[in-house]
Amino acid sequence: MRDIAVFSGSAHPELAEEVCAHLGVPLSPTRVSRFANDCLEVQLQANCRERDVFLIQPLVRPVQEHLVELLMMCDAARGASAARITVVMPHYSYARSDKKDAPRISLGGRLVADLLVAAGASRVLAMTLHAPQVHGFFSVPVDHLHALRELAEYFGRYDLTCTTVVSPDLGNAKEAAAFARLIGAQVAAGAKQRFADDRVSISSVIGEVTDRDVIVLDDEIAKGSTVLELLDKLREMRPRSIRVACTHGLFAAGALKRLGEQPDVLEIVCTNTVPAPADEQTDKLRVLSIAPALAEAVRRIHNGESVSALFEEPRGV
């Protein structure tokens, strides 16, 4: 692919290398340094002039460090006369700050979108935003991919004739329903009320679960409090088996260990939009790669082709 330059920040270089391998292009080097006063400096160490530049950086912990790094990458590419700058952001952590649900509260999702555009981003490629309407925060085009096909391909190895996909809450029910249609399963959803970041209550599960194989599907798992609460409610309904799946496996504060210790959870399936936690391991974890999908989207964006087949609601395997 000519006239393309792909750079990675320090958040997830392994994913960037895998994307470049699928594209058949080298990953251009980036230098990130820190001054004595703790300020960051970023240098893109390859030619950007009149090139199609792609910057790969999920916003993962430490989120603020990686965000500033990404903003500086955008600014460096713009200052180097890049023809177009596409931010490839597999995980947009600030998408959770998408509504004003308390007085005088900040809308981080919109603010970060404005910052990226101000820094020079011409386009954004995102994966499974916390709420689909978040892409409306951006004043530049956004291609919103999902990982449902990758998850469906993985679960297709099982007998799904008696399977129910369970969303932890009604907010994620649309994605769960799309996934259920994709694998030919039923769908159910929990009635959730959140009291704090790590304290939720699920009063009931709407749908058929008893004596069925359950796949709990969420967009991301951070502390895991919602999934653990849902598992308690599901046990009252006596499912035949339980598997847990998500796109963004953040697994903060020991969440992977807690989920792995649940005796009736057979598997925990996620994608590599974010790095796997290095300090926690369980033989129940399965990590699927979304690098091929990201690479194909990058190729289509670069060639001016339609990306819609990669992010429209799936209609079949």
Side-chain angles (χ1 to χ4, degrees), residues 124-138:
V124 173
L125 175 61
M127 172 74 72
T128 312
L129 294 169
H130 184 64
Q133 63 268 24
V134 167
H135 75 245
F137 288 161
F138 290 87

PDB file of all heavy atoms in Angstrom, residues 124-138:
ATOM      1  N   VAL A 124     -11.934   9.179  12.617  1.00  0.00           N
ATOM      2  CA  VAL A 124     -11.759   8.282  13.758  1.00  0.00           C
ATOM      3  C   VAL A 124     -12.301   6.908  13.395  1.00  0.00           C
ATOM      4  O   VAL A 124     -13.378   6.790  12.806  1.00  0.00           O
ATOM      5  CB  VAL A 124     -12.476   8.823  15.013  1.00  0.00           C
ATOM      6  CG1 VAL A 124     -12.442   7.800  16.141  1.00  0.00           C
ATOM      7  CG2 VAL A 124     -11.842  10.131  15.476  1.00  0.00           C
ATOM      8  N   LEU A 125     -11.526   5.887  13.742  1.00  0.00           N
ATOM      9  CA  LEU A 125     -11.959   4.502  13.584  1.00  0.00           C
ATOM     10  C   LEU A 125     -12.046   3.900  14.982  1.00  0.00           C
ATOM     11  O   LEU A 125     -11.030   3.767  15.672  1.00  0.00           O
ATOM     12  CB  LEU A 125     -10.964   3.722  12.714  1.00  0.00           C
ATOM     13  CG  LEU A 125     -11.204   2.225  12.537  1.00  0.00           C
ATOM     14  CD1 LEU A 125     -12.552   1.958  11.878  1.00  0.00           C
ATOM     15  CD2 LEU A 125     -10.075   1.601  11.720  1.00  0.00           C
ATOM     16  N   ALA A 126     -13.265   3.575  15.428  1.00  0.00           N
ATOM     17  CA  ALA A 126     -13.489   3.102  16.790  1.00  0.00           C
ATOM     18  C   ALA A 126     -14.088   1.704  16.772  1.00  0.00           C
ATOM     19  O   ALA A 126     -14.622   1.253  15.757  1.00  0.00           O
ATOM     20  CB  ALA A 126     -14.408   4.058  17.547  1.00  0.00           C
ATOM     21  N   MET A 127     -14.021   1.044  17.913  1.00  0.00           N
ATOM     22  CA  MET A 127     -14.544  -0.318  18.041  1.00  0.00           C
ATOM     23  C   MET A 127     -15.455  -0.401  19.259  1.00  0.00           C
ATOM     24  O   MET A 127     -15.033  -0.121  20.388  1.00  0.00           O
ATOM     25  CB  MET A 127     -13.382  -1.300  18.187  1.00  0.00           C
ATOM     26  CG  MET A 127     -13.758  -2.728  18.509  1.00  0.00           C
ATOM     27  SD  MET A 127     -14.464  -3.648  17.114  1.00  0.00           S
ATOM     28  CE  MET A 127     -13.011  -3.895  16.100  1.00  0.00           C
ATOM     29  N   THR A 128     -16.719  -0.747  19.035  1.00  0.00           N
ATOM     30  CA  THR A 128     -17.706  -0.984  20.094  1.00  0.00           C
ATOM     31  C   THR A 128     -17.694   0.127  21.146  1.00  0.00           C
ATOM     32  O   THR A 128     -17.232  -0.048  22.276  1.00  0.00           O
ATOM     33  CB  THR A 128     -17.485  -2.354  20.765  1.00  0.00           C
ATOM     34  OG1 THR A 128     -17.335  -3.369  19.769  1.00  0.00           O
ATOM     35  CG2 THR A 128     -18.663  -2.717  21.669  1.00  0.00           C
ATOM     36  N   LEU A 129     -18.194   1.275  20.754  1.00  0.00           N
ATOM     37  CA  LEU A 129     -18.348   2.378  21.694  1.00  0.00           C
ATOM     38  C   LEU A 129     -19.358   2.002  22.772  1.00  0.00           C
ATOM     39  O   LEU A 129     -20.282   1.219  22.529  1.00  0.00           O
ATOM     40  CB  LEU A 129     -18.816   3.635  20.965  1.00  0.00           C
ATOM     41  CG  LEU A 129     -17.820   4.241  19.962  1.00  0.00           C
ATOM     42  CD1 LEU A 129     -18.497   5.304  19.116  1.00  0.00           C
ATOM     43  CD2 LEU A 129     -16.612   4.816  20.685  1.00  0.00           C
ATOM     44  N   HIS A 130     -19.187   2.564  23.960  1.00  0.00           N
ATOM     45  CA  HIS A 130     -20.079   2.242  25.077  1.00  0.00           C
ATOM     46  C   HIS A 130     -21.536   2.538  24.734  1.00  0.00           C
ATOM     47  O   HIS A 130     -22.442   1.828  25.163  1.00  0.00           O
ATOM     48  CB  HIS A 130     -19.654   3.029  26.313  1.00  0.00           C
ATOM     49  CG  HIS A 130     -20.452   2.709  27.537  1.00  0.00           C
ATOM     50  ND1 HIS A 130     -20.449   1.451  28.127  1.00  0.00           N
ATOM     51  CD2 HIS A 130     -21.293   3.463  28.283  1.00  0.00           C
ATOM     52  CE1 HIS A 130     -21.249   1.458  29.169  1.00  0.00           C
ATOM     53  NE2 HIS A 130     -21.776   2.661  29.292  1.00  0.00           N
ATOM     54  N   ALA A 131     -21.764   3.594  23.968  1.00  0.00           N
ATOM     55  CA  ALA A 131     -23.097   3.917  23.459  1.00  0.00           C
ATOM     56  C   ALA A 131     -22.920   4.389  22.012  1.00  0.00           C
ATOM     57  O   ALA A 131     -22.068   5.248  21.755  1.00  0.00           O
ATOM     58  CB  ALA A 131     -23.763   4.998  24.299  1.00  0.00           C
ATOM     59  N   PRO A 132     -23.681   3.851  21.066  1.00  0.00           N
ATOM     60  CA  PRO A 132     -23.466   4.189  19.653  1.00  0.00           C
ATOM     61  C   PRO A 132     -23.551   5.677  19.360  1.00  0.00           C
ATOM     62  O   PRO A 132     -22.867   6.177  18.464  1.00  0.00           O
ATOM     63  CB  PRO A 132     -24.581   3.419  18.940  1.00  0.00           C
ATOM     64  CG  PRO A 132     -24.949   2.310  19.866  1.00  0.00           C
ATOM     65  CD  PRO A 132     -24.742   2.853  21.249  1.00  0.00           C
ATOM     66  N   GLN A 133     -24.376   6.403  20.118  1.00  0.00           N
ATOM     67  CA  GLN A 133     -24.547   7.828  19.837  1.00  0.00           C
ATOM     68  C   GLN A 133     -23.305   8.652  20.171  1.00  0.00           C
ATOM     69  O   GLN A 133     -23.220   9.825  19.803  1.00  0.00           O
ATOM     70  CB  GLN A 133     -25.755   8.385  20.588  1.00  0.00           C
ATOM     71  CG  GLN A 133     -25.661   8.326  22.094  1.00  0.00           C
ATOM     72  CD  GLN A 133     -26.253   7.060  22.679  1.00  0.00           C
ATOM     73  OE1 GLN A 133     -26.338   6.049  21.981  1.00  0.00           O
ATOM     74  NE2 GLN A 133     -26.650   7.108  23.938  1.00  0.00           N
ATOM     75  N   VAL A 134     -22.324   8.041  20.834  1.00  0.00           N
ATOM     76  CA  VAL A 134     -21.108   8.771  21.188  1.00  0.00           C
ATOM     77  C   VAL A 134     -20.381   9.267  19.941  1.00  0.00           C
ATOM     78  O   VAL A 134     -19.719  10.305  19.971  1.00  0.00           O
ATOM     79  CB  VAL A 134     -20.174   7.880  22.044  1.00  0.00           C
ATOM     80  CG1 VAL A 134     -18.781   8.476  22.154  1.00  0.00           C
ATOM     81  CG2 VAL A 134     -20.776   7.680  23.436  1.00  0.00           C
ATOM     82  N   HIS A 135     -20.520   8.540  18.821  1.00  0.00           N
ATOM     83  CA  HIS A 135     -19.814   9.011  17.624  1.00  0.00           C
ATOM     84  C   HIS A 135     -20.366  10.352  17.150  1.00  0.00           C
ATOM     85  O   HIS A 135     -19.696  11.069  16.406  1.00  0.00           O
ATOM     86  CB  HIS A 135     -19.849   7.964  16.501  1.00  0.00           C
ATOM     87  CG  HIS A 135     -21.155   7.832  15.789  1.00  0.00           C
ATOM     88  ND1 HIS A 135     -21.928   6.696  15.840  1.00  0.00           N
ATOM     89  CD2 HIS A 135     -21.831   8.678  14.986  1.00  0.00           C
ATOM     90  CE1 HIS A 135     -23.007   6.846  15.114  1.00  0.00           C
ATOM     91  NE2 HIS A 135     -22.980   8.052  14.583  1.00  0.00           N
ATOM     92  N   GLY A 136     -21.543  10.738  17.646  1.00  0.00           N
ATOM     93  CA  GLY A 136     -22.077  12.057  17.334  1.00  0.00           C
ATOM     94  C   GLY A 136     -21.345  13.186  18.034  1.00  0.00           C
ATOM     95  O   GLY A 136     -21.534  14.353  17.686  1.00  0.00           O
ATOM     96  N   PHE A 137     -20.507  12.855  19.027  1.00  0.00           N
ATOM     97  CA  PHE A 137     -19.693  13.881  19.681  1.00  0.00           C
ATOM     98  C   PHE A 137     -18.613  14.424  18.751  1.00  0.00           C
ATOM     99  O   PHE A 137     -18.091  15.514  18.971  1.00  0.00           O
ATOM    100  CB  PHE A 137     -19.008  13.318  20.934  1.00  0.00           C
ATOM    101  CG  PHE A 137     -19.946  13.059  22.091  1.00  0.00           C
ATOM    102  CD1 PHE A 137     -19.579  12.204  23.114  1.00  0.00           C
ATOM    103  CD2 PHE A 137     -21.185  13.672  22.158  1.00  0.00           C
ATOM    104  CE1 PHE A 137     -20.419  11.968  24.184  1.00  0.00           C
ATOM    105  CE2 PHE A 137     -22.040  13.438  23.223  1.00  0.00           C
ATOM    106  CZ  PHE A 137     -21.660  12.582  24.245  1.00  0.00           C
ATOM    107  N   PHE A 138     -18.255  13.648  17.727  1.00  0.00           N
ATOM    108  CA  PHE A 138     -17.170  14.041  16.843  1.00  0.00           C
ATOM    109  C   PHE A 138     -17.699  14.880  15.683  1.00  0.00           C
ATOM    110  O   PHE A 138     -18.758  14.577  15.119  1.00  0.00           O
ATOM    111  CB  PHE A 138     -16.463  12.808  16.283  1.00  0.00           C
ATOM    112  CG  PHE A 138     -15.664  12.043  17.300  1.00  0.00           C
ATOM    113  CD1 PHE A 138     -16.260  11.054  18.073  1.00  0.00           C
ATOM    114  CD2 PHE A 138     -14.319  12.305  17.490  1.00  0.00           C
ATOM    115  CE1 PHE A 138     -15.527  10.346  19.011  1.00  0.00           C
ATOM    116  CE2 PHE A 138     -13.575  11.600  18.426  1.00  0.00           C
ATOM    117  CZ  PHE A 138     -14.183  10.626  19.192  1.00  0.00           C
TER     118      PHE A 138
END
